[in-house]
């Protein structure tokens, strides 16, 4: 039997055959979501010795942290938690506000307000927003870059490349997820021009059903957040959270709304204008209220309305569902 026969009979692609080269280090990104879990399981099926990394932004739900512990126990793996520390950057920002701020239109009161509140909290997502003075949005999506890409590159990828290792970064991206991902390739060289760095998307052609089938095949439970109505796992909430998902969050996890309201107050104190909201200012259709109309508490109330903005009594009275999952996980 030749190599091609072995590959065909063992249901692995030529690319998956090549990945066993001992010079390659496989780095699998784990978010605690279904797609990255399927990627972990695929690496296990292929017998790959990988490094599993999780970028801890400090805005994930507690159930996700517990789920990562569960995966470690269930699969006998270690998931490295990468947590960026922005205290140095924050100190530079304080110095900038003091020294350069007055020349850029910051009044003495603004300087005093910002400098006295710009203190590290140890929560990466919040600290980054305090430094910026606003929250990320679709247009200003700095969160993924500074909270995930840069820390993983700095602490994992770059040291490996400097040690002359070839790195395959596994990403649980699927084409059916969105138009932006519809053309994602299975395997490609780094777009940053890094020699020896490749992006590998093991489940790029998979459907949602195949992803959950992978969980069942390995007797691994999906993150329980799916059964509670969440369609994606990552930040809770993500700045791109849709209205229906926000409705589920405010209903099932009101403490998340309280936490974000607190974060909004802190970030406002560190912003030049003294105004900012977690969701984009125009998240709620314009019915007055200025820059703060999309404040998290207003957004949570808006999530209970119908598309004409009317309070949806039936929706608000719904009993918490046993399984609100849009994936029918309890079928
Ligand atoms: S999940 Fe959303 S808010 Fe969190 S880092 Fe990613 S894009 Fe930003």
């Amino acid at each position: 039997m030749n190599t091609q026969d072995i590959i065909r009979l063992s249901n692995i692609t030529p690319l998956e055959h090549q990945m066993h080269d001992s010079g390659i280090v496989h780095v699998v990104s784990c978010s605690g979501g279904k797609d990255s879990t399927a990627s972990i399981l695929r690496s296990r099926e292929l017998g790959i010795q990988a490094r599993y990394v999780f970028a801890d932004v400090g805005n994930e739900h507690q159930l996700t942290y517990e789920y990562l512990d569960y995966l470690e126990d269930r699969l006998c793996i270690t998931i490295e938690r990468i947590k960026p520390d922005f205290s140095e950057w924050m100190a530079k920002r304080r110095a900038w506000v003091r020294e350069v701020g007055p020349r850029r239109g910051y009044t003495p009161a603004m300087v005093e307000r910002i400098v006295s509140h710009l203190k590290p909290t140890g929560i990466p997502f919040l600290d980054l927003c305090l430094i910026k003075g606003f929250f990320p949005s679709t247009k200003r999506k700095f969160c993924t870059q500074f909270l995930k890409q840069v820390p993983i590159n700095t602490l994992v990828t770059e040291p490996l490349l400097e040690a002359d290792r070839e790195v395959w970064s596994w990403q649980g991206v699927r084409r059916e997820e969105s138009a932006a991902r519809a053309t994602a390739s299975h395997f490609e060289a780094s777009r940053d021009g890094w020699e020896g760095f490749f992006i590998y998307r093991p489940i790029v052609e998979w459907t949602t059903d195949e992803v959950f089938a992978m969980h069942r095949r390995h007797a691994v439970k999906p993150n329980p957040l799916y059964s509670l109505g969440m369609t994606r796992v990552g930040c809770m909430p993500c700045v791109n959270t849709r209205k229906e998902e926000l409705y589920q969050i405010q209903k099932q996890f009101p403490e998340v709304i309280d936490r974000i309201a607190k974060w909004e107050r802190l970030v406002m104190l560190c912003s030049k204008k003294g105004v900012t909201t977690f969701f984009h200012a125009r998240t709620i259709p314009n019915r007055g209220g200025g820059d703060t109309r999309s404040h998290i508490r207003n957004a949570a109330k808006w999530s209970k309305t119908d598309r004409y903005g009317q309070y949806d009594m039936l929706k608000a009275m719904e009993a918490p569902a046993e399984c609100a999952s849009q994936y029918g996980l309890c079928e």
Side-chain angles (χ1 to χ4, degrees):
M1 194 183 292
N2 62 31
T3 306
Q4 290 309 315
D5 288 336
I6 294 170
I7 291 171
R8 183 170 47 78
L9 291 174
S10 39
N11 194 27
I12 61 175
T13 64
L15 192 63
E16 287 169 338
H17 180 70
Q18 182 192 330
M19 68 175 57
H20 284 86
D21 185 318
S22 60
I24 302 172
V25 179
H26 297 276
V27 178
V28 182
S29 298
C30 313
S31 65
K34 64 187 190 313
D35 295 330
S36 68
T37 301
S39 301
I40 296 174
L41 296 173
R42 186 63 184 151
S43 74
R44 307 277 296 165
E45 274 185 353
L46 293 167
I48 295 292
Q49 293 292 323
R51 280 179 69 173
Y52 302 102
V53 297
F54 166 71
D56 183 356
V57 312
N59 187 22
E60 290 86 355
H61 194 275
Q62 182 58 27
L63 287 173
T64 294
Y65 293 110
E66 290 168 15
Y67 184 68
L68 293 170
D69 294 341
Y70 159 77
L71 285 180
E72 287 189 316
D73 287 347
R74 176 73 190 75
L75 301 173
C76 298
I77 58 174
T78 300
I79 300 175
E80 299 171 45
R81 271 73 162 173
I82 310 281
K83 193 170 184 176
D85 175 2
F86 295 120
S87 45
E88 214 174 292
W89 188 4
M90 200 174 265
K92 284 186 186 154
R93 171 74 183 155
R94 275 197 302 273
W96 186 94
V97 171
R98 263 197 220 100
E99 290 154 29
V100 184
R103 299 203 295 276
R104 300 286 174 86
Y106 286 64
T107 64
M110 282 176 189
V111 172
E112 173 56 28
R113 167 170 55 76
I114 296 172
V115 169
S116 61
H117 290 94
L118 202 49
K119 307 263 169 64
T121 65
I123 303 169
F125 190 99
L126 177 57
D127 285 352
L128 180 61
C129 297
L130 292 174
I131 291 168
K132 294 272 183 185
F134 50 84
F135 290 92
S137 62
T138 312
K139 280 195 179 158
R140 297 190 291 194
K141 204 166 159 186
F142 53 82
C143 46
T144 317
Q145 181 191 358
F146 290 111
L147 295 166
K148 297 185 175 182
Q149 283 168 0
V150 172
I152 290 178
N153 285 346
T154 307
L155 297 171
V156 180
T157 312
E158 286 171 12
L160 288 169
L161 293 175
E162 278 162 19
D164 280 336
R165 303 300 299 272
E166 181 173 314
V167 178
W168 286 26
S169 172
W170 290 44
Q171 298 176 359
V173 163
R174 292 181 302 113
R175 289 186 189 138
E176 72 164 26
E177 285 180 282
S178 65
R181 294 183 169 183
T183 55
S185 56
H186 196 195
F187 185 75
E188 63 179 305
S190 158
R191 291 181 192 169
D192 301 325
W194 286 354
E195 203 174 323
F197 182 71
F198 299 90
I199 308 291
Y200 176 54
R201 302 185 181 94
I203 61 167
V204 74
E205 290 171 339
W206 292 22
T207 62
T208 304
D209 285 348
E210 287 173 304
V211 167
F212 285 121
M214 184 67 150
H215 287 65
R216 288 193 294 275
R217 186 152 80 234
H218 290 268
V220 166
K221 293 181 290 186
N223 188 316
L225 286 171
Y226 293 116
S227 302
L228 296 169
M230 304 300 123
T231 54
R232 44 189 283 176
V233 168
C235 287
M236 167 78 81
C238 168
V239 289
N240 300 317
T241 295
R242 288 174 302 166
K243 189 179 181 185
E244 180 58 31
E245 192 145 347
L246 180 60
Y247 169 72
Q248 291 292 347
I249 292 172
Q250 59 81 34
K251 185 174 164 187
Q252 308 203 50
F253 310 114
E255 68 282 3
V256 168
I257 305 299
D258 294 342
R259 170 170 56 78
I260 298 298
K262 198 171 149 196
W263 287 11
E264 281 184 333
R265 283 195 295 278
L266 288 171
V267 178
M268 277 183 201
L269 289 167
C270 294
S271 77
K272 185 178 178 187
K273 286 199 289 180
V275 178
T276 187
T277 50
F278 184 83
F279 291 117
H280 189 277
R282 300 202 198 306
T283 297
I284 302 177
N286 192 358
R287 292 189 178 82
D291 285 345
T292 56
R293 67 173 175 267
S294 293
H295 187 288
I296 187 75
R297 294 208 189 279
N298 292 341
K301 274 187 211 149
W302 164 75
S303 76
K304 290 186 258 187
T305 62
D306 61 21
R307 67 196 183 98
Y308 304 105
Q310 300 300 313
Y311 189 68
D312 191 335
M313 188 70 83
L314 287 176
K315 194 174 180 183
M317 285 170 60
E318 272 173 21
E322 262 183 23
C323 175
S325 171
Q326 296 190 17
Y327 296 113
L329 292 179
C330 290
E331 284 176 355

